[in-house]
């Protein structure tokens, strides 16, 4: 989709109610509801993080969204695909400040260039005990990405057309942080399998966009 047309359409997002967990659960692992019930008290004191779902025009003025692939490390989110973002630091005044700061650190986009469109539904991640607050943002110009070498393995640019294509939804077998193999819903984006929390947040974004595009 032409990015100018995309911008014209998404102004209507401001007053739309969030689909929330109903949309998120469409792409959730089958065991999620049980884990949430088990962690009801823990969730109240969970750590906080914020991420940015960033849409922008590519060089042909087509609409794209950016994801990152995290570095391999000894942790529960090793080598997974995610939005740029991270944990709240003491210097962050708001959660949006966290999302903007982390986006600048991880993919090199100046935070003053990002236009925040809408805060999305928070999402609890049991394996790392984080509640993540996602934001929907845009850039008006084609970005020049600068990868944070210490944390980001790859920057993945996904066209809006591919993201909204229902054929890009499938299932995959993954080994969870609990060392159990399960079949989970996933997006196949540019040949990359995106599942878990990121897929759930993408599901809410997709449902919102389908209402205005």
């Amino acid at each position: 989709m032409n990015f100018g047309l995309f911008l014209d359409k998404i102004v209507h997002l401001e007053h739309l109610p969030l689909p929330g967990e109903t949309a998120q659960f469409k792409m959730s692992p089958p065991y999620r509801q049980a884990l949430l019930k088990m962690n009801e008290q823990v969730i109240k004191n969970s750590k906080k993080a914020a991420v940015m779902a960033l849409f922008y025009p590519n060089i042909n003025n087509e609409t794209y969204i950016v994801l990152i692939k995290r570095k391999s490390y000894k942790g529960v989110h090793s080598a997974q695909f995610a939005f740029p973002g991270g944990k709240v630091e003491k210097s962050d005044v708001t959660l949006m400040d966290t999302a903007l700061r982390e986006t600048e650190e991880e993919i090199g986009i100046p935070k003053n260039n990002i236009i925040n469109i809408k805060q999305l539904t928070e999402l609890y991640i049991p394996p790392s005990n984080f509640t993540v607050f996602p934001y929907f943002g845009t850039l008006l110009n084609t970005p020049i990405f600068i990868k944070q070498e210490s944390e980001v393995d790859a920057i993945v640019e996904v066209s809006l057309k591919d993201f909204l294509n229902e054929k890009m939804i499938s299932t995959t077998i993954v080994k969870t942080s609990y060392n159990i193999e399960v079949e989970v819903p996933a997006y196949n984006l540019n040949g990359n399998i995106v599942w878990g929390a990121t897929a759930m947040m993408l599901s809410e974004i997709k449902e919102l966009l389908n209402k205005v595009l």
Side-chain angles (χ1 to χ4, degrees):
M1 173 181 282
N2 174 275
F3 189 68
L5 179 59
F6 176 79
L7 289 178
D8 288 343
K9 297 288 188 180
I10 63 171
V11 297
H12 302 294
L13 291 177
E14 182 181 354
H15 301 295
L16 278 183
L18 292 172
E21 287 188 345
T22 302
Q24 292 175 349
F25 273 117
K26 292 178 180 178
M27 296 297 291
S28 72
Y31 50 81
R32 178 168 176 80
Q33 288 183 318
L35 282 179
L36 291 181
K37 189 171 182 61
M38 288 170 54
N39 288 281
E40 283 180 349
Q41 295 303 313
V42 177
I43 292 172
K44 297 176 182 178
N45 298 308
S46 61
K47 297 170 287 185
K48 290 181 173 57
V51 300
M52 179 63 66
L54 189 61
F55 289 85
Y56 59 92
N58 75 344
I59 57 173
N60 297 317
N61 206 39
E62 292 296 312
T63 304
Y64 272 67
I65 183 173
V66 63
L67 297 173
I68 62 170
K69 182 182 180 184
R70 298 214 171 275
K71 289 275 191 180
S72 296
Y73 68 101
K74 292 182 179 180
V76 295
H77 302 303
S78 173
Q80 290 184 0
F81 293 92
F83 294 114
K87 65 181 180 180
V88 172
E89 302 288 354
K90 290 181 179 179
S91 60
D92 299 327
V93 178
T94 67
L95 288 162
M96 189 171 72
D97 288 337
T98 301
L100 292 171
R101 175 184 54 76
E102 286 281 347
T103 299
E104 183 166 3
E105 290 175 3
E106 292 189 335
I107 61 174
I109 303 301
K111 56 188 177 184
N112 292 335
N113 291 357
I114 298 173
I115 301 168
N116 179 53
I117 302 298
K118 195 176 186 70
Q119 182 174 352
L120 304 171
T121 303
E122 67 269 22
L123 182 74
Y124 178 66
I125 305 178
S128 56
N129 190 33
F130 268 97
T131 296
V132 177
F133 294 81
Y135 290 84
F136 184 120
T138 61
L139 284 175
L140 297 183
N141 299 305
T142 303
I144 298 174
F145 293 116
I146 302 172
K147 183 178 67 171
Q148 184 181 28
E149 294 294 341
S150 60
E151 294 191 21
V152 179
D153 185 62
I155 292 173
V156 180
E157 299 184 70
V158 179
S159 72
L160 178 67
K161 180 180 177 181
D162 284 346
F163 168 47
L164 296 180
N165 187 347
E166 291 296 325
K167 293 181 180 179
M168 297 301 163
I169 296 177
S170 61
T171 60
T172 188
I173 303 295
V174 300
K175 181 174 286 189
T176 72
S177 57
Y178 302 96
N179 206 32
I180 301 171
E181 287 193 348
V182 294
E183 185 177 41
V184 299
Y187 289 97
N188 187 338
L189 302 173
N190 297 7
N192 302 302
I193 302 302
V194 182
W195 66 283
T198 303
M200 293 174 68
M201 289 182 275
L202 282 169
S203 183
E204 182 175 47
I205 294 167
K206 183 175 181 179
E207 192 157 316
L208 281 170
L209 289 177
N210 280 333
K211 292 178 180 179
V212 298
L213 298 184

